[in-house]
């Protein structure tokens, strides 16, 4: 993940700029109200504190209609101003569709506890957890959920949106500066909801096009050379004694053997790798996994060591995650990691 | 408090458990005073439980990627913390004060339906215990205090947590509706001769209005609970998307209850403040009719704002703007109240007792909560801050900085009446400052956490710049706050044993509860003073300057200033 989270006040799109401006304006007005109230209270405390020995009663004032009407109209006027601004800014921060039947650029699907991204226009491919967007282009997004309510929220790029199993929601997102942006699942979705982070990579159009073109094809690493002839792997020494933290990766793992291990295990019950027989859609699509920078929806950075720990026992890293652990031997694990990291 | 006269020990303040039939006299009681104390004690117990749950959560969040709690444990804790604080601590403590003081303030002998009153209490207690039995049964609820489907449905929650949650809340909910009916009927029928509805003390007025909120809001919750239970146990499809149901429907029904619920937890606190501030400022409440009217305005508005909890559900601009505007309107009656209390203090001779200190701090803290509340009505801001720690900060400023501070003020104010002994002012000052500092240390920084992108209800968080240190500060604040509660409990115990004896009217207050002994006898009043205005005891004390004698017999209609008889 980027080392710094994005603040609501650090907008990277016109939509968020509008929300940020309105927020700052409201806080300034609010601060004015707070200072007025605090000032009056402090004045009361200093000026109207009972002096020692003074046991007389003060003037019994029970009201003043003019004052009371004033402080009814005052907040009402303020609320009216804020609501006019709200009406104006709502249209900027969540622009209407340009056509009733507009097709989304990207479909975002929430799962317990990861994100699926379906690119519908720039090639037709599916990726997970790390969203790539072209810089400066406003993208129309459809939100779906496969199970429970989630919330897609990248503070710098667009409004927060519920990701509901009951209805399709739509909004626009945009990034005006190349870079990486942090986001998170905003709505509590059970279990390890905390590890349903979002990473957005904003790239100049040319770079993005190259990325999308690559994503549209099967990874060259999906069928490593020698895969046809690689022997069906005999299981290496059982790893009962090997703890995840001590998992040692052997240098030069054999991706061809790794592919056999992947396809020969229950990995393929949930994951897909384009260009192979693995085509399941239960878990994240791993077609270009080696090019992603995070594992487990942001719980770890994608390094070979982390990947080995993750495959060995994901439950200690992200308790509740639906993936089971695979206690592979050192050689098998090294081969499998080499294969997956080779899926660029 | 040297100006308080020495008073002899009370003959028998309250039945002790150690005496013969002591326990029975508590369990079998239909007396509103004993039931009020039971309500308050039970809610203090649940406050401690909910507070300990919060401390566990804060320990877990003290450092990034902490492994002190598993996600499941954390999810259960935050679910139970929210549910406990709302349904088993804040609501019942306010109902408890209402049950105790509504009859006393209007000069009645008891509530209109004493046995129904008793039933309400026992439903509350056993509903709470039923909810907590889920821990013993092995699967505490973990769907959040809102418990949205489809997460609360099978197969996403396979244990019985959701079922215990729904059943427990339904039981307490039925008790709350009965309590609401009781409040309304009591206020309408049992007022002392001569007391008009608009002459009720402001606390009684807010309890009366709260009765309408209770019977208006709780049935929504009970309906949602029944449908959820039917889905889970009978295979119905109200909210199960896979079966053709609509999980968004639950959100509508839940928040149709959930937002009025916020005012159920705030209105009686407003009422307490409207008792405490005038008495310690030595002036009548400024603009009674505006305060009373704004309370009614909140009653009606509160049922028309609920969808501001659903601005991220993409209901469309018309829905969003309507509910945004309605929510912003709530700022009007609330603003009226804040200015009213400030004007009540203005020109007074303020005695800064512990009670008044809590009441004064309410004015600032609740204003902060109100301002952040308005930012949620501004729809585009809500689109950024919804479900973030900004919301957590906001609602604790409303419910702790607001309601809890008011309840503390009310407790220091009424404790002498309820027990016959004063709470220690020395311990009280410590209690106040620890609470004030601890509260702000815990929650102010959470505004910033939300703004930089920290979502709520996460059991841990990545080690991003600033997140760890801000969460640590919040955790330290939480322990300070917990310590303040300990100081309060010590104060209560010490004061009960050897506190200064309270006279009938130690604060020189003006409403009817102070016209009887401390604590009051079982029948409340031997005789009532004549009631010609809102402050019968003021009229009694200053026969030449009674409220009703002032211009037009109605102090609200003019700003005419009158010197009191002593000046």
């Amino acid at each position: 993940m980027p080392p710094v989270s994005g603040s609501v006040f650090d907008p990277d799109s016109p939509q968020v700029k509008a929300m940020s401006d309105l927020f700052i304006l409201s806080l300034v007005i609010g601060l004015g109200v707070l200072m007025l109230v605090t000032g009056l209270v402090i004045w009361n405390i200093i000026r109207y504190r009972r002096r020692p020995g003074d046991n007389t009663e003060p003037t019994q004032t029970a009201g003043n209609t003019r004052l009371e009407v004033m402080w009814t109209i005052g907040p009402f006027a303020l609320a009216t101003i804020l609501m006019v601004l709200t009406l104006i800014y709502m249209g900027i921060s969540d622009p209407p569709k340009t056509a009733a039947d507009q097709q989304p650029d990207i479909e975002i699907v929430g799962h317990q506890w990861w994100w699926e991204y379906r690119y519908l226009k720039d090639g037709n491919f599916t990726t997970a957890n790390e969203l790539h967007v072209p810089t400066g282009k406003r993208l129309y997004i459809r939100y779906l959920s496969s199970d429970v309510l989630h919330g897609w929220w990248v503070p710098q790029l667009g409004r927060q949106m519920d990701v509901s199993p009951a209805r399709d929601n739509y909004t626009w997102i945009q990034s005006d500066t190349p870079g990486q942006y942090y986001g998170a699942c905003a709505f509590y979705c059970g279990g390890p909801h905390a590890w349903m982070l979002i990473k957005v990579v904003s790239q100049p159009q040319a770079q993005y096009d190259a990325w999308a073109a690559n994503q549209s094809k099967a990874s060259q690493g999906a069928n490593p050379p020698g895969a046809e002839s690689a022997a069906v792997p005999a299981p290496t020494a059982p790893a009962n004694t090997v703890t995840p933290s001590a998992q040692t990766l052997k240098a030069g793992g054999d991706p061809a053997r790794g592919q056999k291990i992947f396809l020969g295990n229950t990995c393929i019950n949930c994951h897909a790798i384009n260009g192979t027989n693995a085509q399941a859609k239960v878990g994240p699509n791993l077609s270009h996994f080696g090019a992603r920078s995070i594992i487990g929806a942001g719980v770890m950075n994608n390094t070979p060591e982390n990947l080995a720990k993750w495959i060995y026992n994901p439950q200690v890293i992200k308790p509740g995650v639906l993936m089971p652990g695979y206690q592979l031997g050192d050689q098998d694990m090294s081969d499998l990691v080499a294969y997956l990291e080779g899926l660029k | 408090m040297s100006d308080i006269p020495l008073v002899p020990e009370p003959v028998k303040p309250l039945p002790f458990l150690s005496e013969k039939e002591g326990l029975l006299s508590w369990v079998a009681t239909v007396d509103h005073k004993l039931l009020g104390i039971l309500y308050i004690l039970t809610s203090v117990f649940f406050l401690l439980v909910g507070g300990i749950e919060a401390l566990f959560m804060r320990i877990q969040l003290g450092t990034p990627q902490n492994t002190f709690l598993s996600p499941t444990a954390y999810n259960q804790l935050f679910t139970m913390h929210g549910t406990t604080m709302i349904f088993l601590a804040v609501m019942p403590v306010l109902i408890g004060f209402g049950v105790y003081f509504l009859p006393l303030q209007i000069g009645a002998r008891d509530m209109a339906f004493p046995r129904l009153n008793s039933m309400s209490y026992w439903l509350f207690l056993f509903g709470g215990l039923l909810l907590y039995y889920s821990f013993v049964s092995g699967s505490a609820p973990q769907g959040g205090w809102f418990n949205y489907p489809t997460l609360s449905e099978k197969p996403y929650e396979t244990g019985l947590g959701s079922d215990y949650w729904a059943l427990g809340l339904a039981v307490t909910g039925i008790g709350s509706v009965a309590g609401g009916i009781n409040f309304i009927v009591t206020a309408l029928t049992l007022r002392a001769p001569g007391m008009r509805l608009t002459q009720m003390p402001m606390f009684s007025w807010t309890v009366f209005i709260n009765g309408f909120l209770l019977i208006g809001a709780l049935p929504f919750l009970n309906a949602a609970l029944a449908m959820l239970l039917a889905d889970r146990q009978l295979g119905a499809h109200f909210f199960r998307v896979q079966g053709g149901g609509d999980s968004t429907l639950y959100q509508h029904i839940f928040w149709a209850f959930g937002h009025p619920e916020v005012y159920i937890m705030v209105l009686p606190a407003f009422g307490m403040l409207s008792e405490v501030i005038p008495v310690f400022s030595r002036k009548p409440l400024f603009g009674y009719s505006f305060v009373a009217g704004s309370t009614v305005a909140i009653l009606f508005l509160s049922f028309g704002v609920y969808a501001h909890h659903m601005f991220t559900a993409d209901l469309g601009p018309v829905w969003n703007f309507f509910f945004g505007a309605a929510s912003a309107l709530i700022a009007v009656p609330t603003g009226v109240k804040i200015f009213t209390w400030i004007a009540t203090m203005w020109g007074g001779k303020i005695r800064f007792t512990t009670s008044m200190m809590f009441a004064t701090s309410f004015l600032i803290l609740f204003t902060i909560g109100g301002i952040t509340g308005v930012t949620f009505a501004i729809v585009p801001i809500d689109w950024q801050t919804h479900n973030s720690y900004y919301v957590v900060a906001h609602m604790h400023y409303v419910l702790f900085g607001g309601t809890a501070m008011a309840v503390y003020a009310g407790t220091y104010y009424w404790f002498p009446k309820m027990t016959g002994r004063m709470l220690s002012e020395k311990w009280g000052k410590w209690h106040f400052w620890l609470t004030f500092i601890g509260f702000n240390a815990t929650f102010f920084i959470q505004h910033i956490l939300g703004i930089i992108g920290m979502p709520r209800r996460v059991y841990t968080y990545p080690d991003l710049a600033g997140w760890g240190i801000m969460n640590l500060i919040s955790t330290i604040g939480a322990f300070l706050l917990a310590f303040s509660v300990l100081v309060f409990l010590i104060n209560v115990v010490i004061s009960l044993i050897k506190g200064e004896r309270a006279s009938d009217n130690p604060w020189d207050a003006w409403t009817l509860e102070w016209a009887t002994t401390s604590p009051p006898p079982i029948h409340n009043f031997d005789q009532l003073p004549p009631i010609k205005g809102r402050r019968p005891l003021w009229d009694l004390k200053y026969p030449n300057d009674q409220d009703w004698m002032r211009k037009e017999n109605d102090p609200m209609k003019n700003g005419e200033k009158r010197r009191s008889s002593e000046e």
Side-chain angles (χ1 to χ4, degrees):
Chain A
M1 302 302 292
V4 179
S5 59
S7 157
V8 168
F9 295 132
D10 190 11
D12 198 51
S13 72
Q15 295 93 300
V16 177
K17 176 84 168 51
M19 293 190 262
S20 171
D21 290 348
L22 187 56
F23 199 173
I24 290 170
L25 178 67
S26 308
L27 286 183
V28 168
I29 294 174
L31 199 63
V33 173
L34 180 63
M35 281 167 65
L36 174 70
V37 169
T38 311
L40 291 171
V41 168
I42 290 175
W43 174 254
N44 273 339
I45 292 173
I46 296 170
R47 175 66 183 79
Y48 296 113
R49 171 188 288 276
R50 187 188 68 133
R51 311 294 157 195
D54 179 3
N55 285 324
T56 58
E57 303 278 15
T59 311
Q60 298 297 300
T61 317
N64 180 323
T65 311
R66 196 178 303 153
L67 264 179
E68 288 156 36
V69 170
M70 261 172 55
W71 64 53
T72 310
I73 293 176
F76 185 82
L78 212 52
T80 309
I81 294 168
L82 288 174
M83 279 307 115
V84 171
L85 290 171
T86 299
L87 202 54
I88 296 167
Y89 278 81
M90 269 171 72
I92 310 173
S93 18
D94 187 16
K97 297 178 207 181
T98 41
D101 58 345
Q102 186 163 7
Q103 286 305 303
D105 297 286
I106 301 173
E107 235 173 39
I108 294 181
V109 187
H111 297 266
Q112 281 182 322
W113 290 269
W114 59 283
W115 298 102
E116 179 183 351
Y117 301 124
R118 298 176 187 157
Y119 287 74
L120 304 180
K121 286 187 178 163
D122 302 317
N124 197 348
F125 57 91
T126 300
T127 173
N129 294 329
E130 201 174 290
L131 183 73
H132 287 244
V133 297
T135 305
K137 189 176 171 196
R138 205 172 71 166
L139 299 165
Y140 193 52
I141 310 287
R142 171 155 63 207
Y143 297 91
L144 315 158
S145 168
S146 72
D147 37 45
V148 302
L149 196 63
H150 302 278
W152 204 83
W153 184 35
V154 181
Q156 290 173 275
L157 304 190
R159 61 164 289 192
Q160 190 183 118
M161 185 57 94
D162 281 5
V163 179
S164 164
R167 43 187 291 141
D168 297 355
N169 294 337
Y170 296 85
T171 194
W172 300 91
I173 64 165
Q174 182 171 341
S175 162
D176 283 342
T177 322
Q180 298 187 350
Y181 298 91
Y182 154 91
C185 175
F187 200 83
Y188 172 65
C189 52
H193 154 62
W195 294 120
M196 196 165 159
L197 302 180
I198 301 162
K199 179 175 175 177
V200 178
V201 179
S202 171
Q203 295 168 308
Q205 188 71 44
Q207 271 182 40
Y208 169 81
D209 287 341
W211 174 84
N214 185 42
Q215 293 282 322
S216 308
K217 298 180 296 206
S219 166
Q220 292 187 343
N223 288 297
E228 298 298 321
S229 57
V232 177
T236 52
N240 295 347
T241 55
V242 182
T243 60
S245 56
Q247 185 81 34
T248 46
L249 288 176
K250 300 198 171 176
D254 177 7
R257 237 184 127 256
Q259 188 209 36
K260 295 284 183 201
I261 293 167
F262 186 87
L263 297 176
N265 273 293
T266 50
C267 310
I268 56 167
N269 288 4
C270 298
H271 294 289
I273 295 177
N274 294 347
T276 71
N277 290 334
Q279 292 297 328
K281 290 178 177 172
V282 178
N285 184 311
L286 300 178
S287 293
H288 297 269
F289 175 79
R292 292 182 205 151
S293 64
I294 50 174
I295 300 176
V299 74
M300 303 170 111
N301 288 323
N302 187 1
T303 65
E305 293 75 25
N306 281 345
L307 180 59
K309 285 182 199 168
W310 173 260
I311 295 170
Y312 192 91
N313 192 354
Q315 293 298 333
V316 301
I317 297 160
K318 182 171 171 178
V321 68
L322 300 178
M323 175 168 154
Y326 291 84
Q327 280 80 43
L328 303 173
D330 286 355
Q331 185 61 52
D332 285 3
M333 185 64 89
S334 305
D335 295 343
L336 180 59
V337 166
Y339 173 65
L340 290 172
E341 296 292 3
L343 297 170
K344 300 286 185 185
Chain B
M1 303 307 292
S2 56
D3 50 349
I4 294 168
L6 284 174
V7 188
E9 285 292 313
V11 181
K12 185 181 174 232
L14 295 165
F16 286 105
L17 290 182
S18 52
E19 42 185 283
K20 189 167 181 283
E21 301 195 343
L23 182 64
L24 186 68
S25 57
W26 283 98
V27 172
T29 187
V30 293
D31 175 30
H32 73 100
K33 296 183 289 299
L34 292 193
L35 283 168
I37 289 172
L38 282 175
Y39 261 116
I40 293 166
L41 288 180
T42 313
S43 60
V44 167
F45 167 74
F46 281 119
L47 173 84
L48 295 179
V49 174
I52 289 166
E53 286 163 352
L55 285 184
F56 275 109
M57 287 154 63
R58 280 315 322 171
I59 294 172
Q60 164 68 13
L61 293 177
T63 54
Q65 311 208 22
N66 199 354
T67 52
F68 174 69
L69 293 173
S70 71
T72 307
Y74 186 88
N75 295 343
Q76 292 175 344
L77 285 175
F78 86 71
T79 299
M80 291 301 279
H81 168 75
T83 309
T84 303
M85 288 304 194
I86 287 166
F87 293 99
L88 307 178
V90 175
M91 259 175 94
V93 80
L94 294 173
I95 291 177
F97 274 100
V99 160
Y100 196 107
F101 284 104
L102 173 63
L104 281 170
Q105 286 200 322
I106 62 174
R109 190 177 186 277
D110 206 313
M111 295 287 283
F113 308 114
R115 277 174 291 187
L116 188 69
N117 194 19
S118 164
M119 189 194 82
S120 294
Y121 167 73
W122 292 104
L123 282 175
F124 148 58
L125 174 66
F126 283 106
L129 294 181
L130 182 59
L131 182 64
Y132 266 89
Y133 186 76
S134 60
F135 274 109
V136 185
S137 83
S139 57
Q142 47 178 312
W145 87 277
F146 42 88
N147 212 21
Y148 278 2
T150 51
L151 185 63
S152 57
E153 300 262 19
K154 291 170 179 170
Y156 304 106
E157 170 148 12
T158 48
L160 290 172
S162 264
D163 306 292
Y164 276 109
W165 181 85
L167 282 171
L169 291 191
V171 171
T172 60
I174 292 164
S176 301
V177 174
I181 293 169
N182 221 339
F183 283 142
I184 294 170
V185 177
T186 305
L188 286 178
T189 61
L190 293 186
R191 296 190 311 281
M195 182 185 279
R196 283 180 288 155
L197 203 55
T198 52
Q199 286 173 336
M200 283 200 299
M202 188 48 68
F203 176 69
S204 291
W205 179 265
T206 56
V207 169
F208 169 58
I209 300 298
N210 208 27
F212 290 100
L213 274 174
L214 285 165
I215 60 174
L218 266 299
F220 283 111
L221 174 68
N222 289 348
L225 298 176
M227 285 185 266
L228 184 63
L229 263 181
D231 273 11
R232 288 181 55 82
Q233 293 301 330
L234 306 174
H237 301 108
F238 290 107
F239 311 127
R240 290 217 299 210
V241 179
Q242 293 84 346
D246 185 356
S247 55
T248 314
L249 174 66
Y250 179 93
Q251 298 184 30
H252 285 284
I253 302 172
F254 183 83
W255 289 113
F257 147 78
H259 206 79
E261 169 73 11
V262 174
Y263 299 99
I264 290 174
M265 295 190 285
V266 166
L267 282 191
F270 288 165
M272 291 179 175
L273 228 57
S274 304
E275 300 296 326
V276 168
I277 289 182
V279 166
F280 291 114
S281 304
R282 308 308 303 157
K283 282 176 64 206
L285 184 61
F286 195 93
Y288 177 101
S289 48
F290 269 71
V291 181
S294 64
T295 309
V296 179
I298 289 177
L299 164 68
F300 286 107
L301 281 175
S302 72
F303 284 98
V305 300
Y306 76 87
H308 70 222
H309 295 268
M310 300 169 64
F311 281 161
T312 59
D314 204 16
L315 298 175
V318 177
W319 268 83
N320 285 344
F321 183 69
F322 174 84
F323 281 97
S327 307
L329 281 183
I330 292 260
V332 178
T334 318
V336 166
K337 287 193 161 70
I338 293 280
F339 285 118
T340 292
W341 293 317
I342 290 174
T344 306
M345 292 167 75
W346 195 275
K349 293 186 174 170
I350 308 169
R351 297 183 293 182
F352 280 100
T353 59
T354 307
S355 173
M356 188 61 186
M357 289 166 79
F358 274 111
T360 309
S361 71
F362 172 104
L363 295 177
I364 313 262
L365 300 179
F366 189 80
T367 301
I368 296 175
I371 288 165
T372 52
V374 170
T375 61
F376 294 121
I378 300 167
V379 182
I381 302 179
D382 182 273
W383 285 339
Q384 276 288 28
T385 51
H386 206 81
N387 294 321
S388 78
Y389 257 85
Y390 187 80
V391 180
V392 180
H394 156 73
M395 67 163 242
H396 282 97
Y397 266 84
V398 172
L399 284 179
F400 201 116
T403 303
M405 289 300 196
V407 171
Y408 277 141
T411 305
Y412 279 85
Y413 178 64
W414 277 319
F415 189 86
K417 179 52 65 183
M418 299 168 82
T419 64
R421 291 189 187 275
M422 312 290 292
L423 277 170
S424 156
E425 284 290 311
K426 198 179 74 187
W427 283 89
K429 298 273 159 46
W430 276 100
H431 173 213
F432 168 75
W433 285 111
L434 283 169
T435 308
F436 187 78
I437 295 166
F439 168 77
N440 284 297
T442 310
F443 294 109
F444 193 81
I445 208 146
Q446 295 183 354
H447 289 114
I448 300 162
L449 276 170
I451 284 167
I452 64 170
M454 181 163 169
R456 330 165 55 167
R457 303 166 186 142
V458 287
Y459 82 99
T460 189
Y461 49 90
D463 191 7
L464 299 167
W467 287 38
I469 183 69
M470 282 194 261
N471 273 294
L472 185 63
I473 291 170
S474 182
T475 299
I476 293 169
F479 275 88
L480 205 57
L481 198 52
F483 184 62
S484 78
V485 175
L486 200 65
V487 170
F488 170 64
L489 293 178
I490 293 172
N491 191 359
V492 168
V493 171
I494 290 182
S495 302
L496 273 178
I497 296 169
K498 53 173 194 173
E500 199 180 344
R501 273 291 295 138
S503 65
D504 291 355
N505 190 0
W507 310 118
D508 200 6
W510 305 304
T511 42
L512 286 181
E513 76 266 32
W514 305 103
T516 183
T517 57
S518 302
I522 184 83
H523 53 280
N524 287 356
F525 298 96
D526 290 325
Q527 61 173 41
L528 285 169
I531 299 161
K532 291 178 179 168
R534 293 178 183 131
R535 299 191 298 166
L537 301 195
W538 170 278
D539 295 347
L540 204 61
K541 188 173 177 186
Y542 301 106
N544 296 325
D545 184 39
Q546 302 185 30
D547 285 341
W548 60 275
M549 291 173 171
R550 299 200 190 98
K551 197 177 169 188
E552 292 174 21
N553 291 349
D554 190 345
M556 269 83 52
K557 290 209 174 118
N558 58 78
E560 186 79 4
K561 291 184 177 178
R562 277 292 193 90
R563 292 284 144 190
S564 76
S565 56
E566 287 189 346
E567 279 188 294

